[in-house]
PDB file of all heavy atoms in Angstrom:
ATOM      1  N   LEU A  24      -6.011  10.980 -21.147  1.00 96.00           N
ATOM      2  CA  LEU A  24      -5.282  10.223 -20.171  1.00 96.00           C
ATOM      3  C   LEU A  24      -3.928  10.844 -19.870  1.00 96.00           C
ATOM      4  O   LEU A  24      -3.187  11.270 -20.855  1.00 96.00           O
ATOM      5  CB  LEU A  24      -5.035   8.748 -20.628  1.00 96.00           C
ATOM      6  CG  LEU A  24      -6.357   8.056 -21.015  1.00 96.00           C
ATOM      7  CD1 LEU A  24      -5.812   6.648 -21.762  1.00 96.00           C
ATOM      8  CD2 LEU A  24      -7.013   7.629 -19.795  1.00 96.00           C
ATOM      9  N   VAL A  25      -3.708  11.270 -18.588  1.00 97.00           N
ATOM     10  CA  VAL A  25      -2.454  11.951 -18.232  1.00 97.00           C
ATOM     11  C   VAL A  25      -1.760  11.061 -17.138  1.00 97.00           C
ATOM     12  O   VAL A  25      -2.230  10.991 -16.125  1.00 97.00           O
ATOM     13  CB  VAL A  25      -2.761  13.235 -17.698  1.00 97.00           C
ATOM     14  CG1 VAL A  25      -1.537  14.038 -17.331  1.00 97.00           C
ATOM     15  CG2 VAL A  25      -3.444  14.136 -18.916  1.00 97.00           C
ATOM     16  N   GLU A  26      -0.603  10.557 -17.491  1.00 98.00           N
ATOM     17  CA  GLU A  26       0.188   9.795 -16.641  1.00 98.00           C
ATOM     18  C   GLU A  26       1.261  10.591 -16.062  1.00 98.00           C
ATOM     19  O   GLU A  26       1.792  11.501 -16.560  1.00 98.00           O
ATOM     20  CB  GLU A  26       0.834   8.579 -17.471  1.00 98.00           C
ATOM     21  CG  GLU A  26      -0.143   7.637 -18.112  1.00 98.00           C
ATOM     22  CD  GLU A  26      -0.382   7.879 -19.575  1.00 98.00           C
ATOM     23  OE1 GLU A  26      -0.058   9.236 -19.949  1.00 98.00           O
ATOM     24  OE2 GLU A  26      -0.929   7.137 -20.358  1.00 98.00           O
ATOM     25  N   SER A  27       1.646  10.198 -14.837  1.00 98.00           N
ATOM     26  CA  SER A  27       2.732  10.891 -14.096  1.00 98.00           C
ATOM     27  C   SER A  27       3.401  10.019 -13.023  1.00 98.00           C
ATOM     28  O   SER A  27       2.808   8.988 -12.716  1.00 98.00           O
ATOM     29  CB  SER A  27       2.160  12.165 -13.441  1.00 98.00           C
ATOM     30  OG  SER A  27       1.189  11.869 -12.360  1.00 98.00           O
ATOM     31  N   GLY A  28       4.494  10.409 -12.485  1.00 98.00           N
ATOM     32  CA  GLY A  28       5.121   9.742 -11.448  1.00 98.00           C
ATOM     33  C   GLY A  28       6.363   8.946 -11.888  1.00 98.00           C
ATOM     34  O   GLY A  28       7.084   8.278 -11.037  1.00 98.00           O
ATOM     35  N   GLY A  29       6.792   8.937 -13.020  1.00 97.00           N
ATOM     36  CA  GLY A  29       7.925   8.157 -13.499  1.00 97.00           C
ATOM     37  C   GLY A  29       9.140   8.872 -13.074  1.00 97.00           C
ATOM     38  O   GLY A  29       9.142   9.976 -12.408  1.00 97.00           O
ATOM     39  N   GLY A  30      10.377   8.315 -13.298  1.00 97.00           N
ATOM     40  CA  GLY A  30      11.510   8.862 -13.023  1.00 97.00           C
ATOM     41  C   GLY A  30      12.721   7.706 -13.037  1.00 97.00           C
ATOM     42  O   GLY A  30      12.488   6.710 -13.515  1.00 97.00           O
ATOM     43  N   LEU A  31      13.831   8.142 -12.464  1.00 98.00           N
ATOM     44  CA  LEU A  31      15.025   7.332 -12.319  1.00 98.00           C
ATOM     45  C   LEU A  31      15.037   6.639 -10.996  1.00 98.00           C
ATOM     46  O   LEU A  31      14.997   7.370  -9.921  1.00 98.00           O
ATOM     47  CB  LEU A  31      16.314   8.072 -12.707  1.00 98.00           C
ATOM     48  CG  LEU A  31      17.644   7.393 -12.500  1.00 98.00           C
ATOM     49  CD1 LEU A  31      17.706   6.132 -13.412  1.00 98.00           C
ATOM     50  CD2 LEU A  31      18.766   8.300 -12.623  1.00 98.00           C
ATOM     51  N   VAL A  32      15.259   5.356 -10.939  1.00 98.00           N
ATOM     52  CA  VAL A  32      15.241   4.641  -9.662  1.00 98.00           C
ATOM     53  C   VAL A  32      16.369   3.539  -9.690  1.00 98.00           C
ATOM     54  O   VAL A  32      16.615   2.926 -10.793  1.00 98.00           O
ATOM     55  CB  VAL A  32      13.944   4.200  -9.222  1.00 98.00           C
ATOM     56  CG1 VAL A  32      13.451   3.096 -10.166  1.00 98.00           C
ATOM     57  CG2 VAL A  32      13.865   3.555  -7.861  1.00 98.00           C
ATOM     58  N   GLN A  33      16.911   3.236  -8.644  1.00 98.00           N
ATOM     59  CA  GLN A  33      17.954   2.168  -8.532  1.00 98.00           C
ATOM     60  C   GLN A  33      17.191   0.798  -8.531  1.00 98.00           C
ATOM     61  O   GLN A  33      16.126   0.767  -7.957  1.00 98.00           O
ATOM     62  CB  GLN A  33      18.949   2.338  -7.335  1.00 98.00           C
ATOM     63  CG  GLN A  33      19.785   3.583  -7.457  1.00 98.00           C
ATOM     64  CD  GLN A  33      20.740   3.760  -6.300  1.00 98.00           C
ATOM     65  OE1 GLN A  33      20.545   3.010  -5.278  1.00 98.00           O
ATOM     66  NE2 GLN A  33      21.811   4.430  -6.474  1.00 98.00           N
ATOM     67  N   PRO A  34      17.892  -0.205  -9.043  1.00 98.00           N
ATOM     68  CA  PRO A  34      17.360  -1.507  -8.832  1.00 98.00           C
ATOM     69  C   PRO A  34      17.063  -1.804  -7.366  1.00 98.00           C
ATOM     70  O   PRO A  34      17.715  -1.566  -6.453  1.00 98.00           O
ATOM     71  CB  PRO A  34      18.423  -2.458  -9.359  1.00 98.00           C
ATOM     72  CG  PRO A  34      19.295  -1.570 -10.206  1.00 98.00           C
ATOM     73  CD  PRO A  34      19.201  -0.168  -9.713  1.00 98.00           C
ATOM     74  N   GLY A  35      15.887  -2.401  -7.202  1.00 98.00           N
ATOM     75  CA  GLY A  35      15.351  -2.793  -5.840  1.00 98.00           C
ATOM     76  C   GLY A  35      14.478  -1.564  -5.306  1.00 98.00           C
ATOM     77  O   GLY A  35      13.738  -1.732  -4.348  1.00 98.00           O
ATOM     78  N   GLY A  36      14.466  -0.494  -5.986  1.00 98.00           N
ATOM     79  CA  GLY A  36      13.611   0.683  -5.509  1.00 98.00           C
ATOM     80  C   GLY A  36      12.199   0.645  -5.872  1.00 98.00           C
ATOM     81  O   GLY A  36      11.750  -0.341  -6.467  1.00 98.00           O
ATOM     82  N   SER A  37      11.535   1.630  -5.531  1.00 98.00           N
ATOM     83  CA  SER A  37      10.026   1.653  -5.752  1.00 98.00           C
ATOM     84  C   SER A  37       9.671   2.988  -6.375  1.00 98.00           C
ATOM     85  O   SER A  37      10.365   4.026  -6.335  1.00 98.00           O
ATOM     86  CB  SER A  37       9.324   1.535  -4.371  1.00 98.00           C
ATOM     87  OG  SER A  37       9.548   0.438  -3.853  1.00 98.00           O
ATOM     88  N   LEU A  38       8.543   3.007  -7.124  1.00 98.00           N
ATOM     89  CA  LEU A  38       7.909   4.205  -7.685  1.00 98.00           C
ATOM     90  C   LEU A  38       6.362   3.867  -7.705  1.00 98.00           C
ATOM     91  O   LEU A  38       5.927   2.874  -7.722  1.00 98.00           O
ATOM     92  CB  LEU A  38       8.368   4.423  -9.162  1.00 98.00           C
ATOM     93  CG  LEU A  38       9.705   5.012  -9.403  1.00 98.00           C
ATOM     94  CD1 LEU A  38       9.928   5.012 -10.881  1.00 98.00           C
ATOM     95  CD2 LEU A  38       9.760   6.430  -8.940  1.00 98.00           C
ATOM     96  N   SER A  39       5.728   5.144  -7.672  1.00 98.00           N
ATOM     97  CA  SER A  39       4.306   5.035  -7.743  1.00 98.00           C
ATOM     98  C   SER A  39       3.755   5.844  -8.973  1.00 98.00           C
ATOM     99  O   SER A  39       4.179   7.069  -8.878  1.00 98.00           O
ATOM    100  CB  SER A  39       3.602   5.530  -6.445  1.00 98.00           C
ATOM    101  OG  SER A  39       3.816   4.710  -5.406  1.00 98.00           O
ATOM    102  N   LEU A  40       3.051   5.395  -9.807  1.00 98.00           N
ATOM    103  CA  LEU A  40       2.562   6.104 -10.971  1.00 98.00           C
ATOM    104  C   LEU A  40       1.050   6.462 -10.812  1.00 98.00           C
ATOM    105  O   LEU A  40       0.198   5.644 -10.077  1.00 98.00           O
ATOM    106  CB  LEU A  40       2.719   5.256 -12.253  1.00 98.00           C
ATOM    107  CG  LEU A  40       4.085   4.584 -12.545  1.00 98.00           C
ATOM    108  CD1 LEU A  40       4.078   3.868 -13.852  1.00 98.00           C
ATOM    109  CD2 LEU A  40       5.225   5.742 -12.538  1.00 98.00           C
ATOM    110  N   SER A  41       0.552   7.524 -11.418  1.00 98.00           N
ATOM    111  CA  SER A  41      -0.677   7.919 -11.450  1.00 98.00           C
ATOM    112  C   SER A  41      -1.202   8.184 -12.811  1.00 98.00           C
ATOM    113  O   SER A  41      -0.461   8.513 -13.641  1.00 98.00           O
ATOM    114  CB  SER A  41      -0.910   9.086 -10.561  1.00 98.00           C
ATOM    115  OG  SER A  41      -0.544   8.938  -9.271  1.00 98.00           O
ATOM    116  N   CYS A  42      -2.511   8.030 -13.033  1.00 97.00           N
ATOM    117  CA  CYS A  42      -3.042   8.334 -14.383  1.00 97.00           C
ATOM    118  C   CYS A  42      -4.512   8.779 -14.019  1.00 97.00           C
ATOM    119  O   CYS A  42      -5.401   8.271 -13.484  1.00 97.00           O
ATOM    120  CB  CYS A  42      -3.151   7.065 -15.152  1.00 97.00           C
ATOM    121  SG  CYS A  42      -4.234   7.290 -16.678  1.00 97.00           S
ATOM    122  N   VAL A  43      -4.577  10.141 -14.536  1.00 96.00           N
ATOM    123  CA  VAL A  43      -5.974  10.730 -14.449  1.00 96.00           C
ATOM    124  C   VAL A  43      -6.698  10.538 -15.793  1.00 96.00           C
ATOM    125  O   VAL A  43      -6.140  10.992 -16.853  1.00 96.00           O
ATOM    126  CB  VAL A  43      -5.810  12.144 -13.966  1.00 96.00           C
ATOM    127  CG1 VAL A  43      -7.346  12.834 -13.850  1.00 96.00           C
ATOM    128  CG2 VAL A  43      -5.078  12.260 -12.655  1.00 96.00           C
ATOM    129  N   ALA A  44      -7.956  10.156 -15.804  1.00 95.00           N
ATOM    130  CA  ALA A  44      -8.759   9.936 -17.065  1.00 95.00           C
ATOM    131  C   ALA A  44      -9.761  11.090 -17.046  1.00 95.00           C
ATOM    132  O   ALA A  44     -10.468  11.265 -16.022  1.00 95.00           O
ATOM    133  CB  ALA A  44      -9.242   8.614 -17.174  1.00 95.00           C
ATOM    134  N   SER A  45     -10.018  11.683 -18.167  1.00 91.00           N
ATOM    135  CA  SER A  45     -11.218  12.527 -18.208  1.00 91.00           C
ATOM    136  C   SER A  45     -11.976  12.204 -19.588  1.00 91.00           C
ATOM    137  O   SER A  45     -11.369  11.717 -20.483  1.00 91.00           O
ATOM    138  CB  SER A  45     -10.828  14.002 -18.241  1.00 91.00           C
ATOM    139  OG  SER A  45      -9.844  14.220 -19.354  1.00 91.00           O
ATOM    140  N   GLY A  46     -13.162  12.664 -19.618  1.00 86.00           N
ATOM    141  CA  GLY A  46     -13.987  12.480 -20.792  1.00 86.00           C
ATOM    142  C   GLY A  46     -14.584  11.097 -20.944  1.00 86.00           C
ATOM    143  O   GLY A  46     -15.058  10.652 -21.974  1.00 86.00           O
ATOM    144  N   THR A  47     -14.606  10.351 -19.895  1.00 81.00           N
ATOM    145  CA  THR A  47     -15.220   9.037 -19.798  1.00 81.00           C
ATOM    146  C   THR A  47     -15.873   8.747 -18.488  1.00 81.00           C
ATOM    147  O   THR A  47     -15.481   9.448 -17.521  1.00 81.00           O
ATOM    148  CB  THR A  47     -14.185   7.752 -20.053  1.00 81.00           C
ATOM    149  OG1 THR A  47     -14.817   6.665 -20.126  1.00 81.00           O
ATOM    150  CG2 THR A  47     -13.118   7.779 -19.065  1.00 81.00           C
ATOM    151  N   PHE A  48     -16.829   7.801 -18.467  1.00 83.00           N
ATOM    152  CA  PHE A  48     -17.337   7.422 -17.112  1.00 83.00           C
ATOM    153  C   PHE A  48     -16.457   6.400 -16.546  1.00 83.00           C
ATOM    154  O   PHE A  48     -16.630   5.225 -16.590  1.00 83.00           O
ATOM    155  CB  PHE A  48     -18.853   6.796 -17.465  1.00 83.00           C
ATOM    156  CG  PHE A  48     -19.784   7.789 -18.008  1.00 83.00           C
ATOM    157  CD1 PHE A  48     -20.217   7.774 -19.200  1.00 83.00           C
ATOM    158  CD2 PHE A  48     -20.348   8.740 -17.156  1.00 83.00           C
ATOM    159  CE1 PHE A  48     -21.150   8.654 -19.705  1.00 83.00           C
ATOM    160  CE2 PHE A  48     -21.191   9.639 -17.676  1.00 83.00           C
ATOM    161  CZ  PHE A  48     -21.648   9.620 -18.867  1.00 83.00           C
ATOM    162  N   PHE A  49     -15.488   6.902 -15.918  1.00 79.00           N
ATOM    163  CA  PHE A  49     -14.351   6.167 -15.282  1.00 79.00           C
ATOM    164  C   PHE A  49     -14.840   5.010 -14.475  1.00 79.00           C
ATOM    165  O   PHE A  49     -14.239   3.917 -14.500  1.00 79.00           O
ATOM    166  CB  PHE A  49     -13.482   7.155 -14.446  1.00 79.00           C
ATOM    167  CG  PHE A  49     -12.292   6.553 -13.893  1.00 79.00           C
ATOM    168  CD1 PHE A  49     -11.172   6.283 -14.672  1.00 79.00           C
ATOM    169  CD2 PHE A  49     -12.263   6.116 -12.525  1.00 79.00           C
ATOM    170  CE1 PHE A  49      -9.920   5.757 -14.164  1.00 79.00           C
ATOM    171  CE2 PHE A  49     -11.106   5.470 -12.033  1.00 79.00           C
ATOM    172  CZ  PHE A  49      -9.967   5.333 -12.828  1.00 79.00           C
ATOM    173  N   ALA A  50     -15.708   5.223 -13.554  1.00 78.00           N
ATOM    174  CA  ALA A  50     -16.157   4.337 -12.708  1.00 78.00           C
ATOM    175  C   ALA A  50     -16.748   3.084 -13.284  1.00 78.00           C
ATOM    176  O   ALA A  50     -16.771   2.052 -12.599  1.00 78.00           O
ATOM    177  CB  ALA A  50     -17.285   4.947 -11.628  1.00 78.00           C
ATOM    178  N   ILE A  51     -17.172   3.049 -14.509  1.00 83.00           N
ATOM    179  CA  ILE A  51     -17.856   1.915 -15.121  1.00 83.00           C
ATOM    180  C   ILE A  51     -16.855   1.276 -16.092  1.00 83.00           C
ATOM    181  O   ILE A  51     -17.298   0.412 -16.862  1.00 83.00           O
ATOM    182  CB  ILE A  51     -19.175   2.292 -15.773  1.00 83.00           C
ATOM    183  CG1 ILE A  51     -19.067   3.235 -16.915  1.00 83.00           C
ATOM    184  CG2 ILE A  51     -20.190   2.799 -14.648  1.00 83.00           C
ATOM    185  CD1 ILE A  51     -20.339   3.309 -17.639  1.00 83.00           C
ATOM    186  N   ARG A  52     -15.607   1.632 -16.021  1.00 90.00           N
ATOM    187  CA  ARG A  52     -14.612   1.111 -17.092  1.00 90.00           C
ATOM    188  C   ARG A  52     -13.469   0.425 -16.348  1.00 90.00           C
ATOM    189  O   ARG A  52     -13.006   0.891 -15.374  1.00 90.00           O
ATOM    190  CB  ARG A  52     -14.042   2.136 -17.927  1.00 90.00           C
ATOM    191  CG  ARG A  52     -15.091   2.822 -18.840  1.00 90.00           C
ATOM    192  CD  ARG A  52     -15.971   1.934 -19.635  1.00 90.00           C
ATOM    193  NE  ARG A  52     -15.018   1.099 -20.595  1.00 90.00           N
ATOM    194  CZ  ARG A  52     -14.781   1.517 -21.782  1.00 90.00           C
ATOM    195  NH1 ARG A  52     -15.252   2.678 -22.327  1.00 90.00           N
ATOM    196  NH2 ARG A  52     -13.969   0.816 -22.617  1.00 90.00           N
TER     197      ARG A  52
END
């Protein structure tokens, strides 16, 4: 599992995180 997208943001702000999974049948989990 590899997560990305974090950072520093001010209160009220927005962020989008992503996670790529390998080695598993992702679609059925």
Side-chain angles (χ1 to χ4, degrees):
L24 303 167
V25 180
E26 301 92 348
S27 62
L31 173 64
V32 62
Q33 292 187 341
S37 299
L38 277 176
S39 291
L40 308 183
S41 300
C42 169
V43 179
S45 60
T47 182
F48 293 107
F49 181 84
I51 63 171
R52 299 303 303 268

